[in-house]
Amino acid sequence: MDNDSLTARILEIVPDAQLEENKQFLTFLVPAANLHDLALKLKSSPELAFDFLFCVSGVDYGKQLAVVYHLNSTQHKHALVIKVKTDDRANPNFDTVCDIWRTAEFHERETYDMFGIRFNNHPDLRRIFLEEDWKGYPLRKDYVDEVNIVEF
Amino acid sequence: MTFNIYDFTSFNRWIDEGLNSIMSPTWALITEMAIIGIVFLLFYAVVGLFLVYAERKVCAFMQNRVGPNRVGPYGIFQTIADFIKLLMKELVYIKDSDKLLFNIAPFIVIIASFMALSAIPFAKGLHAIDFDIGILYVIAVSSLGVVGILLAGWSSNNKYSLIGAMRSGAQIVSYELSVGLSLLTIIVLSGTMQFSQIVEMQSNGWFIFKGHIPAFIAFVVFLISSTAETNRGPFDLAEAESELTAGFHTEYSGIKFAFFFLAEYMNMFLVASIAATVFLGGWMPFHVSGWAGFNTIMDYIPPLVWYFGKTAFIIWLMMLFKWTFPRLRIDQLLTLEWKYLLPINLVNILFMAFLVLMHWHF
Amino acid sequence: MKEIINLPVSKIDEEEYHINMGPQHPSTHGVLRLVVSLQGEIVKNLKPHCGYIHRGIEKMCEKDTYPQIIHLTDRIDYLSSHISNHAVCLLVEKALEIEIPERVQYIRTIMDELTRIQSHQLWWSSFGMDLGGLTCFFYGLRDREMILDIWEETTGSRFLQSYNCPGGVMQDIHPNFQKKVHAFLKTFKKKIKDYDRILSGNVIFENRSQGVGILSKEDAISYGVTGPSGRGSGWSCDVRKTEPYSMYSKVQFNEVLRYECDTYSRYMVRMQEMHESMNIIEQLIDNIPAGDHSAKMKAVIKLPAGEYFQQVESARGELGLYVVSDGNKTPYRMKFRTPSFSNLSVLDHISRDMKIADLVAIGASLDLVIPDIDR
Amino acid sequence: MNSFFKYFSDIFHGVKSLLIGMSVTGRYFFSPGQIVTQQYPENRKNLQMFERFKGEVIMLHDENNLHRCNGCGICENNCPNGSIEVIPARITGEDGKSKRIIDKHIYHLGMCTFCGLCVKNCPSNALGFGQEFEHAVFDRSKLTKVLNKTGSSIIKGVE
């Protein structure tokens, strides 16, 4: 599927999705509530068939926290980027997609570890790299840690 | 007294008579036992140290390396240095381990291999004791070592050790059969279990040639199963350093670890000696019946050289196994024994019995 | 497993026998900890615990300029350091739309393939060692030494070269480079036959690896198992073919695919990839065009604000770089999608109901590099 | 019957593959000429590192104890992990103008990752890589080095 028909198809599934311009891949900003539903359709629709979740990255945009999903279809060779954002920095949470793409289980744990973004219905949401008792979420921009980070 | 390196019988008699002439027969016997004990202990230590060195050198050459070369010329004192290091190391005691069993296990392993050594004839007349059921004795005693391994794994209070010990138990119980049956094949041919007689019978040709096909099969089976019985690679599942870190001896340190280490090499020496004695004629020179001149030349080579040469060759083969093959998995190990070695062995015995009845052996 | 350790003894499932493989364990190749639940010898389930060498490289990247980031990418996957460097350079060059001299492309591609060969050599060595064939380890390292020498002569380092820089490479290749690469190819083509003879064809090895750790193609895609491990399941996921970069669109090579989906097929994919890599190098080594070893770059590299993504095929799979730039000389957010991290996630799935010995073989066949997981 | 033959062909192929494997190790055992081990401390005298070998960062001095560093600090800025500290000094030059020169070029070898950015980015090519690789010391403070030699000064015309 080319980008135009992909755009049309995704806007059909999630009418609130915003297309972000001038990106390397087709990028959509999706309301958090629609994420799981969209993901399920992206995977299961035969003409979309986004079966390969390449990368899940958390991004801290200062005010907002975002999660970026890089999707790929091994069948149709098209790519898509889905973004979800939240303003709630104290208790950010999104739906998990690890029931759809199993690789998300680890990637979401990593995002939780580094950004404190919780994923609802995740089977085993624990810190993956840091200690369980680590305070704060290191990749957030407002993270301050005098003890462990050595500034030059 | 005439001392000669081809026959130690007169030398032994000379010592025996000498001792009896200066003390009562009881004391003479005790003194003889003490002498033999000391000689064997020394022999045990020297062979153990040499084998460790040899193993390291052999595997180094197989791997394009030099091996130990820092302590002494060609590194020959390396194992002595290692031994001193192990002696001085701390003996770590494990919390909640069974102290008595934990301490006794290395001794059981080492005593088993030490006892088995006593029946081996090194040259004519040079053996501690010549049982008339020598082979049976050796099989029985050498399999005692597994008790030590099981105890070590059990008492260490370590999960890896326990798995290693259990594997070792399953392994020895299975492979003991093959060792026994492959030796039985030769017993069918020789008709005796006494080591000295077995060697004497090979004066006109080693059993591996005399019994040709079945003897050769028995030899190969014996090599495989005895490698398994000594817990050496590719059958080193009890240690399996990439799976169980060090298996049953994970928690052992210092001299106790050294005992396990030494016992492993002595067991290897032991099974190599048995293989050399039973299949390759022990100290008996290489004879071809009919070639009198050739046989005379061969007779000039002392029996000790023959004996150690054959043993060394088999040890080298076992090292070649260890340093070439990947390790088997536990189920494959048992499959190999029960599905391949055991049936082959049983058929082989029948074949050998048939051969002996028909006088088709040489 | 903290929960299990802190539980009162009565609450632990009596049937299950937990062992800790790692953080110090000979077959985890680093500080990875696997908490394995056993029933006898059978693995019931397994929980990987990573983070023992988490160094916060993504955080460190946020304070480093793009040329400085390169030395950090060396240390992510230390066995394919050159390919990780390459990814950063490609990303920067793509963002700045810089034309790269053809000579650089040749050099980078050759270096990438040498990296792949040496990584697979080390993998082969440790695979043999994990299965108990210790001699393999020395043969692999012996042959790898030649590549390290080639690198040392050209880049000055044996392992973490930091040879790529945005716009080109740090130094031109050494005059001996081509000669030495030829010598290496000649020697290694002979030596790789020994690899097959001592391990690949060995009956014990075949029994240990065939039918062990079955990973179906669907699972491979779902778990994101890329690289040789994914191609061992018949998934065509080679970035060099799907998204060609540098010289890969211009050289002839086959994407190695196998369909047995087991440890043996993952093994054979890597063995054949070494041949393919040698094939690629042979096509390029004699044709390196003359020219500059670096494009003209500004003293301070600033990426225009935006999001960039670059993926390359490292020796372990797809390495993805996701950069959010706010127009500064340092990235706003840099995410590494490392292949080993995704490959690790499948370990639990494919090693269930296998034996401990199989777990070791499966772990080795996934070719995990622990810093690549932890970052 | 088929499985009967398979049983024996399995044994045959298995034994054959094992013998092939043993022939490899056996062949290497009998060819000691292929040993690749380097006898390191013994070959120290003729151990030649490659000319580009990155042993440590050094400041290039000529025979008159002159270097090319003017203390601009670009290397310090380029260093990713702060292993270079440039301590400049100001002197009054012959023409009466105040001029920046290097006082101490401090290099923390223990923190250096040999990325080569300092050497590459030095505008006056004052830095280079040394061949020394035996860096083991008993005290970490010994890994902090001053690169400009005592009494050295800048080559005229480099500024």
Side-chain angles (χ1 to χ4, degrees), chain B residues 29 166 179 191 203 270 273 282 315 317 344:
Chain B
L29 193 65
M166 291 306 138
V179 170
S203 59
L270 209 66
S273 311
I315 288 174
L317 267 184
I344 289 175

Side-chain angles (χ1 to χ4, degrees), chain A residues 15-35:
Chain A
D16 298 341
Q18 293 169 34
L19 178 66
E20 294 194 355
E21 301 291 333
N22 295 327
K23 292 280 153 66
Q24 188 182 342
F25 301 113
L26 190 65
T27 308
F28 280 98
L29 182 63
V30 178
N34 297 100
L35 173 68

Side-chain angles (χ1 to χ4, degrees), chain B residues 289-307:
Chain B
S289 51
W291 296 11
F294 178 77
N295 291 352
T296 328
I297 297 167
M298 285 293 148
D299 280 340
Y300 276 112
I301 302 173
L304 274 176
V305 174
W306 277 108
Y307 169 77

Side-chain angles (χ1 to χ4, degrees), chain A residues 23-25 51-52 54-62 68 70 74 83 101-103 106-107 110 114-115 126 128-130 138-141, chain C residues 2 47-51 54 58-59 62 94 221-224 226 235 307-309 318 320 322 332-333 335 337 341-342 344-345 373-375:
Chain A
K23 292 280 153 66
Q24 188 182 342
F25 301 113
D51 50 358
F52 178 28
F54 184 61
C55 183
V56 179
S57 337
V59 184
D60 181 2
Y61 285 107
V68 185
H70 284 81
T74 55
K83 264 191 208 176
W101 298 287
R102 302 297 307 272
T103 181
F106 268 44
H107 280 102
E110 190 200 347
M114 294 298 161
F115 291 91
R126 287 176 295 127
I128 190 165
F129 293 141
L130 303 177
L139 280 181
R140 287 194 183 188
K141 290 289 171 184
Chain C
K2 198 177 234 169
K47 280 199 160 60
H49 284 235
C50 20
H54 176 68
E58 287 174 10
K59 184 81 178 171
E62 290 177 12
K94 186 162 74 182
I221 296 171
S222 179
Y223 278 95
T226 51
W235 176 24
E307 290 170 16
Y308 304 97
F309 195 83
E318 290 188 44
Y322 173 61
Y332 183 76
R333 162 87 170 107
K335 156 91 184 181
R337 185 269 184 211
F341 185 62
S342 298
L344 172 72
S345 66
I373 296 167
D374 286 352
R375 305 197 286 285

Side-chain angles (χ1 to χ4, degrees), chain B residues 62-65 159-160 162-163 167 234 241-243 245 323-332, chain C residues 17-21 25-27 41 130-132 134-135 138-139 142 202 204 207-208 212 357-358 360:
Chain B
M62 285 175 189
Q63 296 165 347
N64 288 183
R65 295 186 290 123
K159 292 173 176 179
Y160 286 127
L162 188 55
I163 296 175
R167 282 179 175 190
E241 73 285 331
S242 63
E243 295 152 31
T245 56
W323 296 105
T324 308
F325 302 136
R327 186 180 303 116
L328 278 84
R329 204 168 60 201
I330 181 75
D331 58 325
Q332 290 162 358
Chain C
Y17 188 76
H18 295 277
I19 61 168
N20 273 300
M21 285 184 102
H25 190 276
S27 67
E41 289 251 349
D130 281 348
L131 294 184
L134 284 153
T135 302
F138 292 93
Y139 289 171
R142 174 196 67 195
N202 193 301
I204 302 176
N207 279 319
R208 282 292 303 274
V212 167
D358 294 334
V360 172

Side-chain angles (χ1 to χ4, degrees), chain B residues 12-55:
Chain B
N12 291 346
R13 195 175 304 124
W14 174 67
I15 292 178
D16 186 42
E17 281 164 4
L19 283 173
N20 272 315
S21 65
I22 53 171
M23 55 183 79
S24 70
T26 321
W27 277 107
L29 193 65
I30 290 169
T31 320
E32 277 170 21
M33 281 183 187
I35 291 172
I36 291 169
I38 289 165
V39 167
F40 267 73
L41 267 179
L42 279 175
F43 177 74
Y44 196 95
V46 169
V47 169
L49 289 177
F50 174 75
L51 280 181
V52 175
Y53 170 74
E55 164 110 82

Side-chain angles (χ1 to χ4, degrees), chain A residues 109 112-114 126-139 143, chain C residues 50-52 54-56:
Chain A
R109 272 179 74 186
Y112 165 66
D113 196 357
M114 294 298 161
R126 287 176 295 127
R127 285 189 180 268
I128 190 165
F129 293 141
L130 303 177
E131 296 287 318
E132 289 289 332
D133 52 359
W134 189 277
K135 288 200 177 55
Y137 301 103
L139 280 181
Y143 178 77
Chain C
C50 20
Y52 285 89
H54 176 68
R55 293 146 297 176

